[in-house]
Amino acid sequence: MHWSEREQPHAVRQDHGPVRYGPPAPEPGLPALPELADVLAASAARTSPEPPGGGTILRGAASAYWERRGLHGGPGDIAAAPGAQPLLLALIAAHGGDVLMPRPCPATWMPQARLLGRPAYHVPTPAECGGIPDPFALLETVRRVRAEGGRPRLLLISVVDDPTATVAPPELVREVCEAAVGEGLHIVSDETWRDTVYRPLDTVLLSPAEMCPDDVTVLVDLAGALTPSAWPVAVARFPATRRAAVRRARALDVLTALGALVAEPVARAAAHALREPEAVTARMRQAAGLQAQVAPAAHRAVLTAGALARPPQAGRHLYADLGPLRTRLAARGVTDSMELEEYLTERLGTPTPGGHRFGDELGALRVRLGTGPLLGSTPQEQMESLTAVEPLKLPHVAQALSIFAAALDELR
């Protein structure tokens, strides 16, 4: 399907069974920042976990992080967990009713709703971006869900999106938020990738919490930009309302029942990262600047092969539609996204999850292509890429891009 084509909104639940529909394996990130490793090592003797929802130091640092981004509140409005998965599970559990989310969406969202037994519905995205539903399709889907006896209560969105690597335009974010709040939906805004935007001075990023402060909970997985994925920690900012305080208490109950407690050494390192000292902000700028060169090069290779993809604006992925190459793929035994995942994973030598994992139809030939593996296969190569003025001219980056382009080009 071409990006400009609209799917007809319909209230269809996604209840896929096979294990291969689950979240893809995580990709390795850049080496840990030495300053954060030192903080972690200095706290290694602390063997007790943080209390449910995080301790005062971690929650205070998270509150200050959002304060610098114009979202006011205090440590009492924050909850932390060892990773985005248990935290999102707790947030969904704290809100009753059915869950709505865009198609495509992060791979963990549907499994979280399914685990709780919540009816969940995908809503098509607009042509301009991923991460948010088309406002009119959202209203139509809410209407149809209610007509079928459902109770839509929660909308999950990501204004800086995984998997599509796009940033939602502020005017569309406003329309979606107005539509959702007008229908009585609470919004969970996953802003994990907000600090990975390639050109922050040229990209207007609007958090839904800025326009609907009482109706939006913000979630950030620090592994997006601040900490290594091997140190799992995520934080959520609740609205400063009485109703939100009740929901935060429910979420803490769920985290307690799960035993989802942040290890104290990890909490200390996360708090240090959230304070954004110069070393941390410099690493974020370097990483975003590196991807700003590598991701467009990968995008050009996708387009040259005859596939489709929105231009990447943030993160470490591309979301490609290989539908125009269907005939050549069929000749290789590839007829759906599961087979496409297996084919490209073998050809590229790195996990390449198919669109079925992100809520897309199995028959659509869509795939998320990681740009992280293009930076090098060893910590030394990755650091060389990170510090290079022209990373595309490095031999290991050039070779990785050549292999990437060749795997796609042979399908022309």
Side-chain angles (χ1 to χ4, degrees):
M1 184 186 75
H2 192 276
W3 291 121
S4 63
E5 294 177 359
R6 298 287 181 87
E7 298 177 54
Q8 293 299 314
H10 56 290
V12 177
R13 286 175 54 180
Q14 302 294 311
D15 289 317
H16 302 304
V19 173
R20 285 187 292 177
Y21 279 94
E27 298 173 4
L30 293 168
L33 185 66
E35 183 171 314
L36 292 182
D38 290 342
V39 174
L40 184 76
S43 305
R46 299 179 179 273
T47 58
S48 299
E50 295 269 288
T56 303
I57 294 175
L58 177 56
R59 290 186 290 109
S63 177
Y65 168 88
W66 273 303
E67 188 80 25
R68 291 190 295 273
R69 287 155 178 79
L71 302 180
H72 308 296
D77 301 321
I78 306 297
Q85 289 86 349
L87 187 52
L88 180 60
L89 185 75
L91 292 178
I92 295 174
H95 293 78
D98 303 351
V99 185
L100 282 73
M101 60 191 73
R103 176 193 289 127
C105 66
T108 59
W109 286 6
M110 185 58 72
Q112 303 291 64
R114 188 185 305 128
L115 185 62
L116 290 168
R118 295 292 177 83
Y121 304 89
H122 279 121
V123 186
T125 57
E128 295 88 338
C129 65
I132 62 173
D134 178 277
F136 297 103
L138 174 63
L139 291 173
E140 177 64 10
T141 301
V142 169
R143 183 189 68 80
R144 294 195 183 192
V145 170
R146 286 181 176 149
E148 295 169 4
R151 296 184 305 127
R153 295 283 182 82
L154 191 64
L155 173 65
L156 308 182
I157 63 175
S158 54
V159 290
V160 183
D161 185 43
D162 167 26
T164 65
T166 58
V167 178
E171 61 274 13
L172 274 176
V173 175
R174 184 177 300 277
E175 290 179 22
V176 168
C177 289
E178 289 176 350
V181 173
E183 292 296 330
L185 303 180
H186 186 78
I187 299 169
V188 172
S189 176
D190 186 339
E191 299 178 11
T192 292
W193 300 99
R194 66 171 299 152
D195 295 315
T196 69
V197 173
Y198 300 158
R199 295 177 175 83
L201 297 180
D202 301 325
T203 306
V204 180
L205 172 58
L206 180 65
S207 170
E210 295 180 61
M211 64 180 68
C212 303
D214 293 344
D215 299 291
V216 178
T217 299
V218 182
L219 170 68
V220 169
D221 185 345
L222 272 63
L226 293 168
T227 62
S229 59
W231 307 353
V233 59
V235 288
R237 175 194 175 275
F238 290 79
T241 65
R242 185 172 301 177
R243 177 180 294 181
V246 173
R247 289 170 174 164
R248 179 179 180 274
R250 292 175 183 166
L252 295 186
D253 287 343
V254 175
L255 294 174
T256 301
L258 294 174
L261 310 177
V262 182
E264 191 164 345
V266 173
R268 294 299 177 98
H272 186 79
L274 285 164
R275 295 188 194 103
E276 297 180 293
E278 175 56 30
V280 171
T281 55
R283 167 61 74 87
M284 287 194 296
R285 288 193 300 268
Q286 280 184 312
L290 172 59
Q291 287 291 349
Q293 297 187 61
V294 175
H299 181 250
R300 288 191 294 271
V302 170
L303 298 184
T304 299
L308 303 171
R310 293 185 178 102
Q313 297 173 279
R316 301 189 286 265
H317 306 106
L318 299 172
Y319 197 63
D321 183 353
L322 275 65
L325 308 177
R326 183 176 294 275
T327 300
R328 296 295 298 272
L329 284 166
R332 291 165 169 77
V334 177
T335 60
D336 60 32
S337 63
M338 189 177 293
E339 293 169 347
L340 180 62
E341 172 183 310
E342 295 173 348
Y343 176 81
L344 286 178
T345 294
E346 181 180 357
R347 298 293 296 173
L348 296 174
T350 187
T352 309
H356 59 284
R357 297 184 184 269
F358 308 100
D360 258 327
E361 302 92 338
L362 182 62
L365 293 173
R366 301 190 185 116
V367 66
R368 192 184 73 176
L369 301 165
T371 54
L374 302 175
L375 308 182
S377 58
T378 67
Q380 293 76 21
E381 288 182 344
Q382 293 164 356
M383 289 304 299
E384 188 178 0
S385 299
L386 189 66
T387 56
V389 176
E390 297 181 294
L392 299 183
K393 293 185 177 181
L394 294 174
H396 63 269
V397 175
Q399 181 181 18
L401 278 168
S402 177
I403 294 172
F404 178 88
L408 296 171
D409 200 51
E410 68 181 17
L411 299 174
R412 295 178 64 184

